[in-house]
Amino acid sequence: KTSGKGHKGQKARAGNGPHRGFEGGQTPLYRLMPKRGFRNRFSKPMTPLNLKDLQLWIAMGRLQLEEGRPIDMRDMMRSGLVSRIPH
């Protein structure tokens, strides 16, 4: 008659049981805690580059310098100092 589910009640209904986080009418823990910060979906990931590493590559001769010309990203990519440009 009741297919082994007993009579009425939440567990006897279709879908069987409360959702995850349900605490029987008590305010769920995830709603008690305040929200902390947020994740910016549009932030650009950046990789740190230490000046110590840059100086070491210059001293080893792996990064070629020309007088009066600034070091750009292309030079660092060619030398292998930076493996990829995050976008």
Side-chain angles (χ1 to χ4, degrees):
K1 187 175 172 182
T2 56
S3 301
K5 290 181 174 269
H7 290 280
K8 299 184 181 179
Q10 187 173 19
K11 292 180 184 174
R13 311 287 183 202
N16 192 12
H19 57 82
R20 259 182 305 148
F22 183 69
E23 298 185 12
Q26 174 177 307
T27 305
L29 189 63
Y30 70 89
R31 290 197 56 200
L32 283 175
M33 299 297 156
K35 291 200 287 185
R36 296 286 295 165
F38 72 102
R39 278 204 176 272
N40 188 354
R41 293 174 35 198
F42 305 105
S43 68
K44 294 185 178 178
M46 297 188 184
T47 308
L49 174 64
N50 295 327
L51 293 177
K52 179 184 74 171
D53 297 337
L54 186 61
Q55 186 61 44
L56 178 68
W57 281 61
I58 292 169
M60 289 173 20
R62 293 183 72 174
L63 189 60
Q64 302 298 323
L65 292 179
E66 294 175 16
E67 203 60 41
R69 188 173 156 272
I71 301 170
D72 60 357
M73 200 63 180
R74 183 178 292 135
D75 295 334
M76 290 189 279
M77 286 285 288
R78 285 183 182 150
S79 69
L81 180 60
V82 178
S83 58
R84 66 181 187 88
I85 301 173
H87 44 61

